Amino acid sequence: MTQQQVDVNSLKKAEAIASLAKDCITQAIEQSSANQILCEEALKQASNEIAQAQTLISQVQSSFQAAQATSSKG
């Protein structure tokens, strides 16, 4: 009777990181015509944030799938 639980804390962290990425993309848009260097830096930051969020989501998904596989074997 194993209950599958999702790591809500990790998902909330991924959500916060995605929000930061959105802010970086907005900043890149705003800087696109005024300052190419700041635009590029904002895009790099957004890319890094998205990668972090994706990693967290993948970890949660893998844990959840492993828990489902374990419970279905029983």
Side-chain angles (χ1 to χ4, degrees):
M1 292 194 193
T2 304
Q3 184 179 6
Q4 296 133 2
Q5 292 185 345
V6 174
D7 186 350
V8 175
N9 289 333
S10 289
L11 291 179
K12 286 182 179 181
K13 187 174 180 182
E15 180 182 33
I17 291 170
S19 179
L20 291 173
K22 181 181 178 282
D23 291 345
C24 289
I25 293 168
T26 300
Q27 182 181 359
I29 292 167
E30 291 169 353
Q31 294 293 335
S32 63
S33 61
N35 189 327
Q36 293 295 312
I37 293 171
L38 288 178
C39 177
E40 185 178 350
E41 288 302 314
L43 289 175
K44 285 180 188 177
Q45 185 65 32
S47 179
N48 289 336
E49 301 289 356
I50 290 168
Q52 287 180 1
Q54 188 174 19
T55 298
L56 284 168
I57 292 167
S58 294
Q59 288 171 353
V60 172
Q61 188 177 25
S62 294
S63 296
F64 187 70
Q65 289 172 341
Q68 282 183 318
T70 301
S71 67
S72 68
K73 290 180 183 177

